[in-house]
Amino acid sequence: MGQIKRKKKKKRGCLWTIFWILFFVILIEILAGAVIYRGKIAEEAAKYLGPKVPYQEVSIEEEVVEQKYYYDQLEEKEKIVYKEILQGIEDLSGEIYIHSSDAKRTNEIFERVLMDNPDVFWCDGTAKTTHYEGKEEYTVLEPVYSCTEEEKEERQEEIELEAEIWLEGITDDASDYDKILYVFEYIVNTVEYDAEAEDNQNIYSVFAHKRSVCAGYSKAAQYLLEQLDVFCTYVTGVVRSGESHAWNLVICEGDYYYVDTTWGDPVFLSSAEAIANDYISYDYLCCNDKELLHTHKPDADLKLPECTKMDFNYYVMNGLYYEEYDSKRALKEMNDTISQKKNPSVFKFADSESYEEAHKDIFGKLIDKAAQNLAGQYNLKQVKYTYMDDPELNKIVIYWQYE
């Protein structure tokens, strides 16, 4: 019988298995890539097609802020940020959305807003600042408020009524110097320096409690002088002890001067306290840079004008300032003070050389001559006087006892 030949079947199963495995692997990778790609597209789309940023709506008019010292120093874009912050604070907004891509700079402008506006007493000066990226970069400022809307309204009315009473003793047509002097003395005579005072970083502590620290003193002076149409702004820095401090920059009859109401207070100045409880130091009533920098150093980031004049300094205005020492003038001043039964005799010198010359002469012989005059005029068997000798401020102050 013939043999039947059978064709051998080719084994293709293995190849097809490998093919399908590779096919599914590639398909999975493509699909996975598509998912990742779509995810990235969605992520980017969310950035650019997300909800509109609810920026702070501003109704503050330019004329309200254009005379503010620190506002005037800002670039145009930063002025928008300033207004958004101020508007948000006035509205007591918990979150203020701002046109800014720099959280640090936003916080600096926030500080300038508070320095320009002493009437903003309900914001405690602290805030959380967060920068966001998205369709456009923006910053959210979250200020901390010290009172509610209702409390704010009540305190505002209280401040305004008290300030009106305080300013009853000065007229609108008074000179710049008289207005500055009036506010200076009124605060010193009315407010007690108290580091533990409530609300001591704002003007409410001054007008409501009559107790505050340098921030309250300086903001109250700024608030009152603005009511009297005298330019006054808020300055921060440190003093000789290294402690943070605040004072004011004013314009008196067209020129810049520094004023530090806090350091006029006898409660604050322990050296003055030893002389008399009612003593007021006028060293920082309209002084120049040279006088200020003996004891004060403004913060480096503040842009401040040169203060070169001493024309309206208190001691100059009252004939108590010596460009050079004059022995006859000094003795006459002491005798005139004694004859009028007043206090104190004050000698303020322009430099340390004049001060040292005066110190030697006054305590070497002049004070004894004045004391003899005191005994003779008031029939005193024993003459008493106290004095403050301040080489740092180039000043000598003598208090006479008439009994």
Side-chain angles (χ1 to χ4, degrees), residues 323-384:
E323 293 283 353
E324 58 183 19
Y325 179 60
D326 183 332
S327 182
K328 291 181 179 179
R329 177 184 166 192
L331 180 59
K332 183 177 185 303
E333 199 291 319
M334 286 189 280
N335 285 334
D336 287 349
T337 300
I338 290 169
S339 297
Q340 297 171 41
K341 205 173 184 179
K342 290 184 177 180
N343 265 314
S345 292
V346 180
F347 305 92
K348 175 77 174 181
F349 300 95
D351 52 54
S352 58
E353 290 78 12
S354 297
Y355 161 77
E356 288 170 2
E357 182 183 353
H359 185 276
K360 182 178 179 180
D361 187 46
I362 290 173
F363 293 108
K365 58 181 181 181
L366 291 194
I367 200 165
D368 289 336
K369 290 183 178 180
Q372 291 172 12
N373 180 35
L374 173 65
Q377 285 198 46
Y378 299 100
N379 298 317
L380 301 177
K381 294 181 178 180
Q382 186 178 17
V383 175
K384 294 182 180 180

Side-chain angles (χ1 to χ4, degrees), residues 96 131 147 165 170 219 235 253 272 294 303 358 368 386 391 403:
I96 307 173
H131 168 244
C147 59
I165 294 172
I170 189 74
K219 289 180 180 179
V235 180
E253 308 302 340
H294 284 151
K303 297 177 183 178
D368 289 336
T386 55
E403 296 179 356

Side-chain angles (χ1 to χ4, degrees), residues 58 74 118 123 210 244 265 292 327 364 388:
V58 176
L74 301 176
C123 184
K210 313 297 187 296
S244 296
D265 196 320
L292 181 82
S327 182
M388 179 178 71

Side-chain angles (χ1 to χ4, degrees), residues 73-86:
Q73 296 178 357
L74 301 176
E75 298 176 359
E76 289 305 314
K77 289 183 179 179
E78 292 181 329
K79 288 182 177 180
I80 294 173
V81 173
Y82 181 107
K83 288 181 182 178
E84 288 174 334
I85 293 173
L86 180 57

